[in-house]
């Protein structure tokens, strides 16, 4: 691909999805004025080390219930 190309990745795009940039690939051998498609594979990197606060924010953002700590469960059971 020559130069930069702006592309908005749609919400919900899954890992390993293929995006085809029409006419932005390698020139054809027999016709230098035509180009093939540039195929981009979406790669998603999921962090492995995040803080408790970051986990809490992700759950809050996703609307997931807050994960109860073991000590809180014990306190609740004893009260």
């Amino acid at each position: 691909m020559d130069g930069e190309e702006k592309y908005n990745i749609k919400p919900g795009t899954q890992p390993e999805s293929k995006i085809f940039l029409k006419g932005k690939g390698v020139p054809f051998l027999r016709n230098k004025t035509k180009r093939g498609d540039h195929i981009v594979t979406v790669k998603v990197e999921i962090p492995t080390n995040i803080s408790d606060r970051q986990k809490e924010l992700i759950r809050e953002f996703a609307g997931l219930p807050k994960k109860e700590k073991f000590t809180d469960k014990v306190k609740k059971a004893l009260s």
Side-chain angles (χ1 to χ4, degrees), residues 11-12 53-66:
R53 176 69 178 137
Q54 289 169 320
K55 288 178 189 176
E56 184 180 321
L57 288 171
I58 291 169
R59 285 191 181 97
E60 184 180 318
F61 180 74
L64 300 173
K66 186 176 179 183

